[in-house]
Amino acid sequence: MSSVEFQGVSKKFGGTVAVEKTDIAIEQGEFFSMLGPSGCGKSTTLRMLAGFIAPTTGRILVNGRDITDLPPEARGIGIVFQNYAIFPHMNVFDNIAFGLVERKQDKATIKRKVEATLAQVGLTGYEGRFERELSGGQKQRVALARVLVIEPEILLLDEPLSALDKQMREEMKFWIKDIQKSIGITTVYVTHDQSEALTMSDRIAVMNEGRMLQIGSPVDIYEKPSSRFIAEFIGDSNLLRASVTELTDTGCVVDLGEGVAVPARVSDAVSVAPGEPVGLLLRPEMVRLMPAHDGEKPRLSGKIVDEVYQGALRRYRVAAGTHELVVEVPNRPELVRMAAGTPVDLFWSAESGVAVP
Amino acid sequence: MGRTIPLPMLILAVLGFCYMLLPILVVVLAGLTAGEFLTFPPEGLSLRWVVAFLQSEKYLSAFFFSFRLALLTMIVATILGTAAALFLSRTRFIGRGAMRAFFLSPVVLPGVVIGFSLFAFYISTGIGLTRTIWGLWIGHILYSTPYVIGTVGAALASYDVSLDEAARSLGASPMRTFRKITLPNISQGIQAGSIFAFIVSFGQFEVSLFLSAPNAEPLPIAMYNSLRYKFDPSAAAAGIFAIILVTASVLLTNRLVNIGRLLEKK
Ligand SMILES: Nc1ncnc2c1ncn2[C@@H]1O[C@H](COP(=O)(O)OP(=O)(O)OP(=O)(O)O)[C@@H](O)[C@H]1O
Ligand SMILES: [Mg+2]
């Protein structure tokens, strides 16, 4: 039995479709992210699960129970909002105690649970503070504590890190993931930041225009995207114009033009046919760049267009025939720097190329 | 510490302030005149007209009638206005803008028009409200409620609905959510609106002119009626008390609101 199940769920606002018919099954204890650009329907999906929006069609099940028609207060689902929604007229203690008070628990139990949760989120001693006396990161912790203290079946997080600065975001990413793992709570996480999704998730659903394009592990999504949109939305990508020449056990062989044939993998979610035009996805870090020399036959040859220094990396733009691609080289002193115009050879392993329709 | 307002603005502000305070000053001084008639500047200062006011059955009963009327109007207007503001801000439907404009229209419509329309309505329908206390009360409520809708509406416009959603998903029913989360956070707007309603009702003239019962005149009507026949400085003395009452209610509420803030901080 799945922890959360969407069965044919869709949502229309007037004439516009915010979420198209969706089927998802999320497992117990899973960290499930919904990733996509602004306006793609992530929040709408999450809010249907929380009970703030009624689906136009379909059913939502939590642990096998149909909750589609239950009001939010009867769902036992905790949600953390982008702006945290700390009650401004209550101090930290009362904020965290709110759900317990609504559950009519006795004073001593409430005090004990609130204190334990405060310790868990590292805010012991902050009981008396008000929202305006807390930093962004602390508000975040209070919002999470307020939800965790009622021990919900499901935890929902709607872009919880987007209001924090970069450093805080990095820190909270791991902190949230740690807490989630230690409690083992099923979590649905909404973000438009691919690095958050890749670091934290067990599975990611990539969304665009109300549709779930691909659902898979971070490795699947990054290394075998099922479409151009996903390839370009997640990470940096080179997409070379190619066409399929033959199918193989591991994927296919694509033709890059001028008689260059290279092997490529294909996502399980899609199928390609010989003759079909595809994009060959090559991540910038997967390509090896060498000054041209006789010896091992390169997959492509070309010339350096320019170099951008990025601290940990150097990014080279390379023109190879009709293709142009970006290659990242680790910034190590023993690797020679290549000036614009230098003839270069490009290598990559057979597993690195992915054909995307 | 530097002056943060440019000089021309400061001068304008002071002029505006004088412009608004001058009539009040005139009333106060006129009410303190030692002379026989309502004049300005006063012919010497004395408390004789203040004493006359305090001994005048007619003015005192009008003053307390106005006070009670304003209080009861304030209570009903606050409840109705808050409910209407919530409805307008929390629901989405075609014609919502038109409805808001309609609800707020008594603010822009001349009081004479409202007073006369209600008067004509009471008479033509014959529902027994013509020139009764009840009919007057209804008129005052109609006239004051938009002020509450305005201030509460403003408070709700800046209210973050996710606070309510958070409370709901933490287990609170819609009613509990309203009482424990929404209400405390819009209470400043409600308080401001209810003071407005009180003051507007207390000073209301045109609506009262059409609707007030002969045996229960609000203060402004009583002042007007007495000044029609006699240029009596006790009307100005009554004005002094009206000013004191309104100022006191504003100050008091201000104080209450601030005390609330202090308590919250502990
Ligand atoms: N209450 C509503 N009424 C009408 N349209 C809505 C409503 N809520 C959302 N939409 C529309 O539905 C679509 C999806 O919105 P949603 O908030 O789910 O996007 P999102 O993926 O969360 O975007 P973001 O990253 O910007 O938060 C958008 O086109 C939005 O304009
Ligand atoms: Mg959103």
Side-chain angles (χ1 to χ4, degrees):
Chain A
M1 188 176 60
S2 301
S3 190
V4 175
E5 222 174 312
F6 278 60
Q7 298 180 344
V9 173
S10 72
K11 180 66 195 180
K12 265 191 199 169
F13 290 109
T16 59
V17 180
V19 177
E20 304 223 16
K21 254 203 167 93
T22 302
D23 293 283
I24 335 171
I26 301 171
E27 297 312 314
Q28 173 57 43
E30 190 175 13
F31 195 114
F32 186 90
S33 293
M34 291 190 280
L35 172 66
S38 186
C40 71
K42 309 180 292 287
S43 296
T44 305
T45 310
L46 200 74
R47 293 165 61 77
M48 286 195 282
L49 181 51
F52 305 136
I53 302 179
T56 309
T57 66
R59 303 196 306 157
I60 301 175
L61 280 68
V62 169
N63 295 329
R65 187 168 62 120
D66 187 341
I67 59 157
T68 318
D69 297 321
L70 290 184
E73 62 268 28
R75 293 194 176 198
I77 292 178
I79 180 164
V80 172
F81 294 88
Q82 184 168 0
N83 58 5
Y84 316 129
I86 308 294
F87 305 135
H89 60 300
M90 295 181 182
N91 62 19
V92 167
F93 185 96
D94 291 336
N95 262 280
I96 299 176
F98 186 84
L100 301 174
V101 172
E102 290 306 307
R103 280 164 179 69
K104 306 216 166 21
Q105 304 204 343
D106 63 88
K107 275 228 168 80
T109 313
I110 292 178
K111 191 161 186 317
R112 184 171 47 77
K113 287 190 178 173
V114 171
E115 275 168 6
T117 313
L118 274 171
Q120 187 180 15
V121 301
L123 282 181
T124 304
Y126 284 74
E127 290 85 345
R129 297 246 192 143
F130 283 86
E131 187 215 15
R132 57 184 174 276
E133 301 162 337
L134 297 171
S135 74
Q138 291 164 343
K139 285 183 208 174
Q140 162 94 73
R141 286 161 194 260
V142 173
L144 197 59
R146 186 173 66 179
V147 165
L148 293 180
V149 78
I150 62 169
E151 298 169 38
E153 293 180 71
I154 317 287
L155 174 62
L156 310 182
L157 301 147
D158 192 352
E159 312 214 17
L161 303 181
S162 59
L164 302 177
D165 63 38
K166 192 167 182 307
Q167 201 172 348
M168 199 69 206
R169 210 152 53 212
E170 288 302 310
E171 197 183 316
M172 296 302 277
K173 224 154 60 174
F174 294 101
W175 183 78
I176 289 179
K177 178 68 194 175
D178 282 351
I179 287 208
Q180 187 268 339
K181 239 191 189 156
S182 69
I183 312 176
I185 186 173
T186 308
T187 301
V188 184
Y189 187 94
V190 160
T191 180
H192 60 253
D193 181 318
Q194 39 116 356
S195 100
E196 282 174 24
L198 289 175
T199 344
M200 302 168 83
S201 318
D202 296 317
R203 276 193 306 159
I204 301 173
V206 183
M207 292 186 72
N208 193 30
E209 295 179 342
R211 208 190 302 260
M212 302 226 168
L213 300 177
Q214 185 178 6
I215 301 179
S217 69
V219 174
D220 264 356
I221 298 280
Y222 186 76
E223 295 183 7
K224 282 202 277 179
S226 67
S227 74
R228 241 165 235 273
F229 174 83
I230 300 171
E232 283 175 338
F233 188 72
I234 300 187
D236 295 322
S237 56
N238 296 300
L239 275 170
L240 310 187
R241 196 136 33 84
S243 65
V244 179
T245 51
E246 61 175 296
L247 301 182
T248 63
D249 294 346
T250 53
C252 62
V253 176
V254 298
D255 176 24
L256 286 176
E258 294 161 27
V260 180
V262 295
R265 300 201 296 169
V266 182
S267 160
D268 307 329
V270 294
S271 60
V272 292
E276 187 180 335
V278 291
L280 177 70
L281 169 67
L282 283 173
R283 298 290 184 192
E285 72 277 11
M286 304 236 177
V287 179
R288 196 154 44 92
L289 198 57
M290 306 269 281
H293 66 298
D294 295 333
E296 188 189 358
K297 188 177 174 304
R299 295 208 188 264
L300 280 175
S301 301
K303 273 196 170 87
I304 299 285
V305 177
D306 61 16
E307 181 210 60
V308 179
Y309 178 75
Q310 291 198 322
L313 304 165
R314 295 177 194 282
R315 286 172 77 96
Y316 289 98
R317 259 193 316 151
V318 181
T322 57
H323 306 293
E324 185 176 280
L325 56 166
V326 171
V327 179
E328 281 173 4
V329 177
N331 192 9
R332 290 204 300 263
E334 71 266 25
L335 296 176
V336 272
R337 295 186 55 179
M338 288 161 282
T342 312
V344 286
D345 288 342
L346 300 164
F347 302 89
W348 61 87
S349 70
E351 302 87 60
S352 302
V354 184
V356 290
Chain B
M1 228 179 69
R3 199 177 55 224
T4 50
I5 311 170
L7 191 60
M9 299 270 267
L10 192 67
I11 293 173
L12 271 181
V14 170
L15 283 178
F17 197 60
C18 294
Y19 178 74
M20 292 194 320
L21 275 186
L22 223 52
I24 296 177
L25 194 70
V26 169
V27 170
V28 171
L29 289 179
L32 294 175
T33 184
E36 202 59 40
F37 299 101
L38 193 53
T39 50
F40 188 83
E43 304 164 356
L45 294 178
S46 88
L47 286 178
R48 64 183 277 209
W49 295 108
V50 172
V51 173
F53 165 80
L54 288 174
Q55 287 171 345
S56 147
E57 172 68 21
K58 190 186 65 176
Y59 273 132
L60 274 188
S61 68
F63 185 89
F64 285 111
F65 177 70
S66 267
F67 184 79
R68 284 198 306 271
L69 178 65
L71 213 58
L72 291 172
T73 299
M74 175 184 95
I75 292 168
V76 178
T78 302
I79 295 168
L80 287 182
T82 303
L86 276 166
F87 177 75
L88 286 171
S89 85
R90 295 288 167 90
T91 52
R92 296 276 170 276
F93 58 92
I94 301 164
R96 193 171 60 106
M99 190 167 208
R100 174 186 294 273
F102 178 72
F103 277 3
L104 292 177
S105 63
V107 173
V108 286
L109 280 181
V112 178
V113 174
I114 295 171
F116 177 72
S117 328
L118 271 178
F119 182 62
F121 175 73
Y122 291 164
I123 286 191
S124 58
T125 53
I127 45 178
L129 290 173
T130 318
R131 293 213 173 270
T132 62
I133 296 176
W134 299 107
L136 178 65
W137 189 27
I138 291 174
H140 275 227
I141 292 167
L142 185 72
Y143 192 77
S144 313
T145 305
Y147 292 89
V148 182
I149 298 180
T151 56
V152 178
L156 281 169
S158 61
Y159 181 79
D160 177 8
V161 189
S162 57
L163 294 178
D164 285 2
E165 292 176 343
R168 289 292 298 280
S169 79
L170 288 169
S173 67
M175 203 54 221
R176 295 268 305 164
T177 300
F178 179 71
R179 265 191 33 222
K180 297 201 58 180
I181 306 298
T182 318
L183 205 53
N185 284 301
I186 60 168
S187 65
Q188 303 253 344
I190 295 176
Q191 280 171 25
S194 55
I195 304 172
F196 263 131
F198 180 89
I199 293 173
V200 163
S201 164
F202 192 82
Q204 218 319 303
F205 177 73
E206 304 97 313
V207 174
S208 302
L209 195 60
F210 284 98
L211 303 182
S212 59
N215 58 343
E217 286 180 338
L219 187 61
I221 300 293
M223 286 165 72
Y224 168 72
N225 280 340
S226 89
L227 284 178
R228 271 205 314 188
Y229 306 111
K230 188 160 150 267
F231 223 44
D232 180 353
S234 59
I240 295 179
F241 281 89
I243 291 166
I244 291 173
L245 177 73
V246 168
T247 313
S249 64
V250 172
L251 289 180
L252 184 71
T253 326
N254 236 334
R255 175 61 74 74
L256 285 178
V257 172
N258 283 336
I259 285 176
R261 278 257 175 94
L262 286 179
L263 284 179
E264 186 190 291
K265 268 189 186 152
K266 294 243 166 73

